[in-house]
Amino acid sequence: MDLIQTLIKRKTINREEGARLKMEAKKGNRAIEEIILKEKVLPEETLFKLKSKLLKIPFKQIVPAKIPSEVLELIPRESAQYYKIIPFKKEKDSFDVGMVYPEDSQAQEALKFLARQSKLSYNFFLISLSNFKKCLERYSVPQREMRKALERLETQMKAEEKEGGVIKEERFERLVEEAPIIKMVSVILRQAVEGKASDIHIEPTRENLKVRYRLDGILHSSLFLPLKAHLAIVARVKILSSLKIDETRIPQDGRFSANIGEKDIDFRVSTFPTTLGEKVVLRVLDPEKGLRSLKELGLDRENLNKVKKSLGRPYGMILVTGPTGCGKTTTLYALLRILNTEGVNIVTLEDPVEYFMTGINQSQIKPEIDYTFAKGLRQILRQDPDIIMVGEIRDEETAELAVHAALTGHLVFSTLHTNNASDVIPRLIDMGIKPFLISPSLVLALSQRLIRVLCPHCKKKVKASGKERKLILETIGKMPAIFRKKIKVPEPIYIFEAKGCPKCNSKGYSGRTGIFEVIEMTDKLSEIIIRLPTRIKILEEARRQEMILMKEDGILKVLEGITSIEEIMRVIEEK
């Protein structure tokens, strides 16, 4: 078989390109398939189907979740990884194997040897490289690894107790640094990162120690461990985070980094005393997920134009609002990334610093030593900043300083806790900011929520029901004229709903995006703020500005097939 010659015959590449690809494969000691995929000569599935035809070996797409644990034991992980082979099905006297390189004589010899050891015959199939990598992750099934680690922990604890009865503090610390506990915590962290969780909850109950992961905004129970592992696991997390192991009466906050899957991941740690023992929550801070563009966040159409326009202002205040966990900080980081150039000095005050950004001076506030947002903001103004980011405006003093900074030639970014954009101005007034100072300082208020995105592999196209059709048409009918003119609603209306498949773990959703509403400061809005700054008047002016509400932004995303009506209604809490 010669893939390169076949591609040349098919005129997919010319001879010079073929020679270059072969040279690069030889130079890097890599398979020619890897180089073809790296250079994007062919899509992976097309490449391996072509290879299947050339080798006359059936091509197989394996579903990793369907591989039984006992079948994986037929081939050790190290052998599977080295030879790129994976067992996926076992019958009475034989088993089926997926191979990325069935033409490799060494891989075939290894497979024959392993089959003889098991006293089984085998059938082999061609599988793609990415399918193999996903199947290989099945060797790291958390429950199996946890069971082995727990067995070792129990053995060690019994040995320690035999030595001296109760396990004393110094011996407990030694136990925490032993392999089983390190392994258990490592499995918990790795499962969170591989499963794309945003948070890990380790919480004691009366019966067991429960580990839950927040996936796309919703908590799911994943592991149930014996209560006897609770103290050791919490202590291990505290050691990693440089927290006090013996302090269990008060909450503690910390942070640590770990290399998982060849990526450096940060974990923000919070411990909290409960009646059943300490609960630990870890926020997973993956730089690839946290540092995103405005379009990736879900900002589009007029909302995106308004935000981009506000970033061109030399000074003023841009506020992002919404409840805890709605992605406000991620949005602020996306805005700062656009402005982060050599010619500006950007200084931030954060609690805590979530993602480290090159070229930006990030400072962590520490209330325990009286280093607050207000005190830090005073010092920032002496650092000759062009752009300031304050993690959150929590009190009157911070609000006054932020407004003062915006009025004196600085571009200020911050967050507030309000339910929507039209509540921002009344909230600032409640915090003691004079109305006549708001209009010259506030540039833009942006409110947001996070919604789950339908899995692209299994979302199901359906005709909207009578109730859904009515909701869509009523929502569009209330939108500003500029949007109504642009939106062409087909008849009948088709939307998408969640279904569930192996790629999304049968959830029907994969990833999250935002829905937004944006208010700009205008002369008319400035007059309203000075005369009668009620939420109703502000909202009326915002609608005159052609602002769309979050619900409306969500319905537009439903029509685009991004999410479902059920998800929009769940997030905006309207029944």
Side-chain angles (χ1 to χ4, degrees):
M1 178 205 74
D2 193 326
L3 273 172
I4 294 295
Q5 284 302 319
T6 304
L7 293 175
I8 292 169
K9 281 181 184 177
R10 288 174 164 232
K11 297 183 179 179
T12 306
I13 56 173
N14 57 39
R15 292 190 179 280
E16 290 76 19
E17 287 173 319
R20 182 181 61 79
L21 292 172
K22 280 186 174 181
M23 183 66 72
E24 193 172 333
K26 189 176 180 181
K27 187 179 172 183
N29 195 26
R30 296 168 71 183
I32 194 68
E33 291 89 337
E34 290 182 44
I35 303 302
I36 291 170
L37 292 174
K38 181 189 168 190
E39 297 278 332
K40 297 180 180 176
V41 175
L42 280 177
E44 186 181 46
E45 191 170 340
T46 306
L47 172 66
F48 278 88
K49 281 183 177 177
L50 175 62
K51 183 175 174 179
S52 167
K53 198 177 286 185
L54 291 171
L55 291 172
K56 294 183 172 58
I57 296 171
F59 177 71
K60 191 88 173 172
Q61 186 71 28
I62 303 169
V63 178
K66 291 186 177 179
I67 305 176
S69 300
E70 60 272 18
V71 171
L72 289 172
E73 291 170 10
L74 293 169
I75 297 178
R77 180 190 164 90
E78 293 74 21
S79 300
Q81 190 166 14
Y82 184 79
Y83 294 109
K84 302 286 189 295
I85 57 178
I86 197 89
F88 62 90
K89 185 180 176 184
K90 182 178 179 289
E91 293 177 349
K92 192 176 179 183
D93 300 315
S94 67
F95 65 99
D96 292 345
V97 185
M99 304 182 76
V100 179
Y101 305 115
E103 72 278 16
D104 182 354
S105 58
Q106 286 188 326
Q108 288 286 359
E109 285 300 318
L111 187 53
K112 283 177 188 173
F113 172 76
L114 291 164
R116 281 198 301 270
Q117 278 194 320
S118 306
K119 296 179 180 177
L120 296 169
S121 60
Y122 65 88
N123 308 301
F124 61 88
F125 300 82
L126 179 69
I127 60 171
S128 69
L129 192 58
S130 63
N131 191 206
F132 165 76
K133 287 176 180 176
K134 285 179 181 175
C135 291
L136 192 67
E137 290 173 7
R138 287 288 293 162
Y139 278 97
S140 304
V141 174
Q143 284 82 353
R144 191 191 316 139
E145 292 188 78
M146 281 291 189
R147 187 174 64 249
K148 289 179 181 176
L150 276 167
E151 287 169 2
R152 290 183 63 189
L153 176 66
E154 283 178 9
T155 304
Q156 286 183 334
M157 287 181 83
K158 283 175 184 173
E160 292 283 353
E161 284 167 1
K162 278 181 184 177
E163 275 185 39
V166 179
I167 302 176
K168 292 184 179 176
E169 188 177 325
E170 62 274 10
R171 287 163 64 209
F172 176 72
E173 286 187 26
R174 188 178 73 212
L175 193 67
V176 167
E177 292 290 2
E178 295 287 344
I181 285 298
I182 292 173
K183 181 70 172 175
M184 288 164 79
V185 173
S186 173
V187 168
I188 290 170
L189 300 182
R190 191 179 70 242
Q191 188 182 16
V193 173
E194 289 176 354
K196 299 180 181 177
S198 60
D199 300 87
I200 307 166
H201 290 241
I202 301 171
E203 47 200 5
T205 67
R206 292 188 184 278
E207 295 80 29
N208 50 38
L209 181 65
K210 183 164 63 176
V211 179
R212 294 194 290 171
Y213 297 106
R214 189 175 294 281
L215 302 168
D216 296 332
I218 295 173
L219 278 170
H220 299 273
S221 296
S222 181
L223 296 169
F224 295 92
L225 306 172
L227 271 175
K228 58 186 141 194
H230 173 231
L231 289 176
I233 286 175
V234 171
R236 174 64 186 162
V237 173
K238 284 183 173 181
I239 287 170
L240 288 170
S241 317
S242 301
L243 302 178
K244 295 177 182 176
I245 298 180
D246 55 346
E247 182 53 84
T248 59
R249 300 163 300 167
I250 58 173
Q252 296 186 72
D253 291 316
R255 187 184 186 115
F256 68 92
S257 294
N259 188 276
I260 297 173
E262 299 180 0
K263 288 196 297 185
D264 288 323
I265 307 292
D266 287 339
F267 295 90
R268 196 177 81 208
V269 179
S270 171
T271 69
F272 185 76
T274 73
T275 53
L276 297 173
E278 280 187 289
K279 173 179 175 175
V280 179
V281 175
L282 299 93
R283 171 64 58 88
V284 183
L285 303 172
D286 183 347
E288 288 183 11
K289 290 167 64 179
L291 302 178
R292 301 162 75 186
S293 70
L294 296 179
K295 283 224 164 192
E296 287 172 329
L297 294 176
L299 271 164
D300 51 18
R301 294 178 286 269
E302 290 303 307
N303 284 341
L304 181 60
N305 294 335
K306 287 177 182 178
V307 171
K308 284 184 174 178
K309 181 182 166 186
S310 71
L311 294 179
R313 295 281 293 268
Y315 62 88
M317 187 162 62
I318 296 171
L319 296 178
V320 180
T321 80
T324 302
C326 73
K328 298 187 296 294
T329 305
T330 303
T331 299
L332 288 181
Y333 281 133
L335 299 176
L336 290 181
R337 282 180 75 194
I338 294 169
L339 299 172
N340 184 17
T341 60
E342 186 67 31
V344 295
N345 177 24
I346 303 176
V347 187
T348 76
L349 275 175
E350 303 175 57
D351 182 26
V353 173
E354 291 200 5
Y355 300 100
F356 296 104
M357 299 178 71
T358 305
I360 293 178
N361 305 288
Q362 296 171 268
S363 182
Q364 165 87 47
I365 71 159
K366 294 183 174 67
E368 65 272 15
I369 58 170
D370 202 29
Y371 178 42
T372 61
F373 279 124
K375 288 202 172 181
L377 197 43
R378 281 200 182 88
Q379 292 303 318
I380 277 182
L381 294 172
R382 298 173 190 170
Q383 289 286 315
D384 186 31
D386 298 294
I387 298 165
I388 299 167
M389 194 264 265
V390 181
E392 185 184 340
I393 294 176
R394 295 176 181 171
D395 52 53
E396 183 178 334
E397 188 180 6
T398 308
E400 285 178 353
L401 287 165
V403 168
H404 172 72
L407 290 170
T408 53
H410 305 91
L411 195 55
V412 179
F413 296 88
S414 193
T415 69
L416 269 180
H417 282 290
T418 68
N419 288 325
N420 45 58
S422 54
D423 281 340
V424 168
I425 292 159
R427 176 77 179 118
L428 289 172
I429 293 169
D430 287 344
M431 296 178 89
I433 304 301
K434 299 287 187 284
F436 67 85
L437 293 176
I438 294 175
S439 53
S441 60
L442 184 65
V443 172
L444 180 130
L446 179 152
S447 188
Q448 67 181 73
R449 298 289 188 280
L450 289 177
I451 56 168
R452 291 179 295 168
V453 173
L454 287 166
C455 172
H457 303 286
C458 67
K459 63 181 181 180
K460 185 181 176 186
K461 189 175 183 179
V462 295
K463 185 179 174 181
S465 66
K467 188 178 177 183
E468 290 167 337
R469 182 180 178 279
K470 184 183 175 186
L471 173 66
I472 290 167
L473 292 176
E474 282 181 355
T475 304
I476 291 172
K478 292 175 184 176
M479 291 174 71
I482 189 172
F483 288 99
R484 290 203 305 272
K485 288 174 185 174
K486 290 178 182 177
I487 299 165
K488 290 182 179 177
V489 182
E491 285 291 353
I493 300 173
Y494 283 95
I495 57 176
F496 289 86
E497 61 181 31
K499 185 182 176 187
C501 68
K503 291 195 176 181
C504 62
N505 293 320
S506 301
K507 291 182 176 64
Y509 295 92
S510 178
R512 288 192 289 178
T513 190
I515 52 174
F516 302 87
E517 56 187 44
V518 180
I519 295 180
E520 284 183 296
M521 183 57 65
T522 61
D523 292 340
K524 181 70 176 172
L525 182 57
S526 179
E527 286 177 25
I528 290 169
I529 292 169
I530 292 168
R531 286 188 315 191
L532 189 65
T534 64
R535 182 182 179 274
I536 294 170
K537 289 287 183 185
I538 292 163
L539 185 56
E540 283 176 2
E541 168 56 18
R543 294 297 267 177
R544 196 189 65 77
Q545 288 180 19
E546 298 173 337
M547 178 192 88
I548 63 169
L549 303 175
M550 278 183 282
K551 178 182 176 182
E552 295 165 349
D553 191 24
I555 291 297
L556 291 178
K557 286 181 167 70
V558 167
L559 291 173
E560 290 168 7
I562 294 169
T563 192
S564 65
I565 283 183
E566 290 77 13
E567 178 64 7
I568 295 299
M569 302 315 289
R570 179 187 73 82
V571 170
I572 61 175
E573 298 178 346
E574 288 186 20
K575 305 296 180 191

